[in-house]
Amino acid sequence: MKDALAAFYHRHRVVRPQTPPAASQTPVELVCFDMDGVLIDVGSSWVMVHKHFGVENDASLRAYLNGEFDDREFIRRDASLWLRLKPKITRNDFEAIFRVPPFMAGVERTVETLRANGIEMAIVSGGVDVMAEHVARRLGIPRVAANGFVYDAQGHITGEGVVRTPLNDKAAPVVRFAAELGIPLERVLSIGNSLPDVSMFEVAGRSIAFHPEDDYTRQHATWTIEEGPLDQILPLVLGQNTR
């Protein structure tokens, strides 16, 4: 599936102007975290929901990566798998699945230290928004871009998706958050672990591939951390080390 993801990314990615690498003395003012595999020790929050309902989405994942439909339709097809088993699904159902976020080791120290140093933070994830918002509340991260669902008047999902972080353009929320905060992109640092996160890397002045899943992600990051807790990023973000 990694080869299919790589082919999808290179064929369908939105190409944006790259931000020149920041000088070593340029301070970081905003850190944008991917969620799955970075803030939480889980490969995919979507897969957590599939496992809860006992379903698989391999067929629609292959079709999506082949470019047969867009992100919104991908969410719609995932939701249809769950709705066959439970016709009325509410936000509370998702809250129950994600009740205890499986945090990555070192995440709380990381966020507390960045906050103490006046650095803004955001979550930029293609994962489920309920999980992302729950993680954000628990950690005190004020900005979240993640994907989710349309709910009807009774609070049940309709099956329609809401796309805030498209897989082929994860840079879009990074650019938006930086603009809202008035922070130059050269003072942004993005952290991710897989190929779609490379677009986040390219628009940020610096980047960290954390527990990277592929060589392409490693090659396009300023720094790479192969294993261990998340708080290893702190010397890099705070400028105590250079590449």
Side-chain angles (χ1 to χ4, degrees):
M1 204 62 80
K2 286 184 179 180
D3 289 342
L5 176 60
F8 166 85
Y9 181 76
H10 293 301
R11 189 182 306 121
H12 299 287
R13 62 167 297 188
V14 173
V15 179
R16 293 174 175 271
Q18 293 191 25
T19 299
S24 59
Q25 68 270 23
T26 303
V28 172
E29 296 183 11
L30 169 63
V31 174
C32 292
F33 294 96
D34 179 33
M35 179 177 68
D36 296 344
V38 175
L39 292 176
I40 60 174
D41 195 7
V42 169
S44 169
S45 48
W46 292 97
V47 172
M48 289 180 70
V49 183
H50 293 321
K51 287 182 177 179
H52 174 81
F53 286 104
V55 299
E56 295 182 352
N57 74 335
D58 290 355
S60 59
L61 176 57
R62 288 193 202 93
Y64 170 75
L65 293 176
N66 285 335
E68 296 177 22
F69 46 81
D70 62 11
D71 294 67
R72 189 168 283 102
E73 175 63 19
F74 192 19
I75 296 173
R76 185 183 298 123
R77 294 190 182 205
D78 274 1
S80 71
L81 296 174
W82 314 329
L83 289 168
R84 289 175 199 163
L85 299 170
K86 185 172 182 177
K88 294 184 178 181
I89 299 174
T90 68
R91 183 183 176 94
N92 286 339
D93 292 307
F94 295 117
E95 290 279 3
I97 296 169
F98 301 136
R99 179 171 291 117
V100 181
F103 282 141
M104 185 68 66
V107 68
E108 288 158 316
R109 176 172 181 261
T110 298
V111 171
E112 289 168 1
T113 303
L114 295 179
R115 185 182 300 112
N117 280 271
I119 296 174
E120 301 285 353
M121 289 172 278
I123 296 174
V124 177
S125 173
V128 181
D129 59 359
V130 176
M131 171 65 99
E133 291 161 9
H134 193 32
V135 169
R137 284 195 303 272
R138 289 282 297 274
L139 295 175
I141 296 176
R143 297 163 199 87
V144 179
N147 300 327
F149 313 94
V150 175
Y151 296 85
D152 64 21
Q154 287 72 46
H156 304 120
I157 66 169
T158 65
E160 296 298 313
V162 177
V163 179
R164 303 180 186 91
T165 309
L167 195 64
N168 67 335
D169 190 19
K170 289 192 70 175
V174 177
V175 173
R176 176 168 62 85
F177 287 137
E180 290 173 354
L181 290 164
I183 294 174
L185 287 168
E186 67 172 357
R187 299 191 175 206
V188 176
L189 185 146
S190 293
I191 304 174
N193 70 328
S194 62
L195 197 146
D197 299 320
V198 170
S199 67
M200 295 172 58
F201 296 175
E202 290 177 341
V203 297
R206 275 161 288 197
S207 55
I208 298 173
F210 181 77
H211 296 189
E213 295 181 352
D214 56 87
D215 287 336
Y216 191 83
T217 303
R218 291 183 180 90
Q219 293 162 3
H220 286 78
T222 309
W223 300 288
T224 296
I225 296 174
E226 294 288 351
E227 59 185 14
L230 185 63
D231 54 9
Q232 293 174 95
I233 72 167
L234 291 172
L236 306 176
V237 178
L238 299 177
Q240 296 168 21
N241 286 349
T242 57
R243 187 174 182 177

